[in-house]
């Protein structure tokens, strides 16, 4: 592993090898995960700083990746805003009606005093045990978080969100404003505690129409990048957003994390060089024939190695069927490329 390659690449500075980490690198695909979990829910696990620090360092030790990402979830800070979050077999859900809460003045602005998760302490604990390991902090993106709040679970193609944008624009903008404030405060709290980078996970933003994204949504993202700019490098991850490509480039984030559907080589030639790129191996390859995996890793790594601000990753999170061995091989392969 090379922590300095990661830290240099994220700042677009010269470095030797291509850095690599994986979204959702600490998860259920790992045999140790269920041992450490020991029957607990993710909510319980995230209240235990020892557990969080331990799980966060696991992929660094086992896979040899160049950065860690703090173990938490994008929905957990919603609890500090008056919402009840639950993790069930069919994915997470928000067990509160936001309209009702708003009507009763019970949908609050986020404050870290109301946040019951000791995330800063977990970050300190990780830092103590792993000095020098780059640590990525994160938050959900406003529309991705809004989708869980408005539909009370994942809103497949954002149809409820889009309906609200059309029919109740004022209520929508109030929800987005409150979420944007949270994202900024929550990210800054992680930075104060010692993370080196912030990634915004906006997984479902691609379901907005081009007009909605550019005319209504992008201002919230610009506010986030402006508030974090100068404090730490920022990465914006989204999927299915090629229809808003030119808007993405002007959001003010240092890096764009690209999903697996896009041809990353032609993409990197088309955008301005100052913009960093992260991605975008097909997550389906996280458990596939090793020769097929290696060929695809090499195609991407060799095609992207000219770029000082490039970080290897998957095009989305590690799937549950991911194989630790294959991920290890991917890391080894990426690290074998000299720039
Ligand atoms: O990357 C990491 O290793 C750090 C931890 C992390 C989690 N969630 C832990 C988690 C990160 C970065 C996330 C981000 C997240 N959470 C996103 C954005 C990335 C993406 O995948 O699109 C989203 C949309 C969520 C919301 C969420 N949380 C979903 C959809 C799910 C269920 C599906 C799944 O993959 O598990 C969760 C639960 C969750 N978040 C678990 C973990 C380890 C599983 C909890 C459990 O097993 O009960």
């Amino acid at each position: 592993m090379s922590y300095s390659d990661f830290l240099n690449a994220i700042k677009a500075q010269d470095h030797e090898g291509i850095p690599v980490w994986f979204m959702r690198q600490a998860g259920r695909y790992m045999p140790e995960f269920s041992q450490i979990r020991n029957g607990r829910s993710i909510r319980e696990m995230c209240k235990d700083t020892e557990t969080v620090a331990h799980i966060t360092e696991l992929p660094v030790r086992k896979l040899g990746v160049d950065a860690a990402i703090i173990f938490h979830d994008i929905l957990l800070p919603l609890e500090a805003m008056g919402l009840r979050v639950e993790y069930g077999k069919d994915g997470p859900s928000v067990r509160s009606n936001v309209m009702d809460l708003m009507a009763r003045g019970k949908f609050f602005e986020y404050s870290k005093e109301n946040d019951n998760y000791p995330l800063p302490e977990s970050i300190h604990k990780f830092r103590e045990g792993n000095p020098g390991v780059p640590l990525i902090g994160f938050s959900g993106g406003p529309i991705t978080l809004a989708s869980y709040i408005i539909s009370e679970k994942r809103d497949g193609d954002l149809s409820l969100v889009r309906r609200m944008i059309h029919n109740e624009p004022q209520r929508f903008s109030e929800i987005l404003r409150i979420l944007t404030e949270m994202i900024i405060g929550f990210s800054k709290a992680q930075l104060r505690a010692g993370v080196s980078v912030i990634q915004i996970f906006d997984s479902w933003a691609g379901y907005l129409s081009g007009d909605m994204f550019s005319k209504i949504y992008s201002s919230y993202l610009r506010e986030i990048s402006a508030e974090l700019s100068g404090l730490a490098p920022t990465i914006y991850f989204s999927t299915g957003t090629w229809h808003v490509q030119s808007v993405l480039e002007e959001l003010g984030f240092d890096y764009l994390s690209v999903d697996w559907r896009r041809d990353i080589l032609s993409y990197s030639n088309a955008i301005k060089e100052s913009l960093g790129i992260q991605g975008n191996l097909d997550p389906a390859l996280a458990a596939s024939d090793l020769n097929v995996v290696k060929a695809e890793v090499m195609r991407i790594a060799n095609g992207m190695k000219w770029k000082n601000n490039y970080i290897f990753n998957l095009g989305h999170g590690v799937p549950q069927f991911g194989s630790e061995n294959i991920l290890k091989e991917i890391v080894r392969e990426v690290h074998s490329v000299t720039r």
Side-chain angles (χ1 to χ4, degrees):
M1 54 207 116
S2 173
Y3 306 136
S4 62
D5 281 347
F6 178 88
L7 293 170
N8 283 322
I10 195 77
K11 292 185 184 144
Q13 288 161 355
D14 286 341
H15 54 281
E16 282 177 3
I18 301 174
V20 48
W21 69 280
F22 301 118
M23 291 184 268
R24 299 292 311 275
Q25 64 190 13
R28 281 176 290 192
Y29 75 93
M30 275 193 165
E32 280 97 336
F33 185 79
S34 44
Q35 277 167 23
I36 300 167
R37 173 173 201 149
N38 197 14
R40 290 176 295 173
S41 73
I42 182 174
R43 296 174 66 247
E44 290 171 278
M45 289 162 90
C46 286
K47 286 188 176 149
D48 178 356
T49 58
E50 199 90 43
T51 297
V52 171
H54 187 182
I55 295 183
T56 301
E57 80 172 50
L58 215 53
V60 179
R61 302 271 165 263
K62 301 209 74 188
L63 307 176
V65 289
D66 302 308
I69 177 161
I70 191 73
F71 185 74
H72 206 69
D73 188 62
I74 61 167
L75 302 176
L76 295 175
L78 300 178
E79 292 185 7
M81 304 167 77
L83 299 163
R84 260 181 61 213
V85 178
E86 263 176 35
Y87 292 88
K89 281 204 167 40
D90 306 326
S93 54
V94 172
R95 297 256 166 227
S96 325
N97 185 301
V98 75
M99 313 299 180
D100 183 46
L101 289 181
M102 280 172 104
R104 294 189 288 123
K106 300 234 156 126
F107 179 49
F108 313 116
E109 306 258 339
Y110 174 84
S111 77
K112 62 177 186 0
E113 289 70 32
N114 283 340
D115 196 331
N116 288 325
Y117 293 93
L119 187 56
E121 290 76 10
S122 296
I123 292 170
H124 292 149
K125 182 141 269 167
F126 175 83
R127 275 259 164 267
E128 278 164 29
N130 303 273
V133 178
L135 181 60
I136 300 164
F138 67 90
S139 176
I143 206 73
T144 297
L145 293 172
S147 74
Y148 288 95
I149 293 179
I150 291 166
S151 76
E152 302 182 21
K153 58 179 170 31
R154 187 186 158 195
D155 181 12
D157 58 0
L158 296 192
S159 57
L160 295 180
V161 170
R162 286 185 279 117
R163 187 172 70 182
M164 185 185 269
I165 294 174
H166 287 299
N167 293 315
E168 300 174 279
Q170 232 125 29
R171 179 169 276 167
F172 173 77
S173 61
E174 177 61 3
I175 293 176
L176 270 260
R177 185 192 64 75
I178 294 183
L179 285 173
T180 301
E181 292 303 316
M182 180 280 277
I183 292 163
I184 293 165
F186 181 62
S187 300
K188 285 185 176 172
Q190 293 175 67
L191 286 168
R192 274 194 299 275
V195 304
S196 337
V197 177
I198 294 287
Q199 173 155 324
I200 303 297
F201 282 92
D202 213 0
S203 313
W204 319 134
Y207 291 102
L208 292 178
S209 71
D211 246 24
M212 281 175 177
F213 194 102
S214 59
K215 295 196 180 131
I216 297 169
Y217 185 48
S218 63
S219 61
Y220 299 100
L221 296 174
R222 282 200 191 89
E223 189 182 338
I224 294 167
S225 72
E227 284 282 340
L228 300 179
S229 136
L231 300 178
T234 51
I235 306 171
Y236 179 72
F237 167 74
S238 60
T239 75
T241 40
W242 45 83
H243 60 308
V244 288
Q245 182 45 46
S246 56
V247 189
L248 290 183
E249 284 180 48
E250 303 303 330
L251 290 176
F253 293 99
D254 299 304
Y255 262 70
L256 296 178
S257 195
V258 175
D259 84 52
W260 72 97
R261 284 167 283 193
R262 202 184 304 237
D263 173 27
I264 196 167
L265 305 191
S266 56
Y267 178 63
S268 60
N269 284 315
I271 66 166
K272 59 183 180 191
E273 225 177 301
S274 59
L275 197 55
I277 297 184
Q278 177 173 271
N280 78 340
L281 187 76
D282 186 347
L285 289 171
S288 298
D289 178 83
L290 193 54
N291 292 321
V292 177
V293 177
K294 281 185 174 172
E296 184 58 6
V297 170
M298 277 304 159
R299 184 186 73 80
I300 295 175
N302 280 318
M304 294 300 297
K305 65 182 179 187
W306 61 272
K307 194 170 164 62
N308 252 346
N309 43 2
Y310 169 68
I311 295 172
F312 194 100
N313 206 313
L314 304 181
H316 202 156
V318 177
Q320 220 177 309
F321 61 74
S323 142
E324 202 176 292
N325 245 344
I326 298 287
L327 292 173
K328 218 185 285 181
E329 289 296 332
I330 294 172
V331 172
R332 210 200 308 259
E333 212 56 18
V334 173
H335 283 165
S336 74
V337 174
T338 39
R339 300 183 65 235

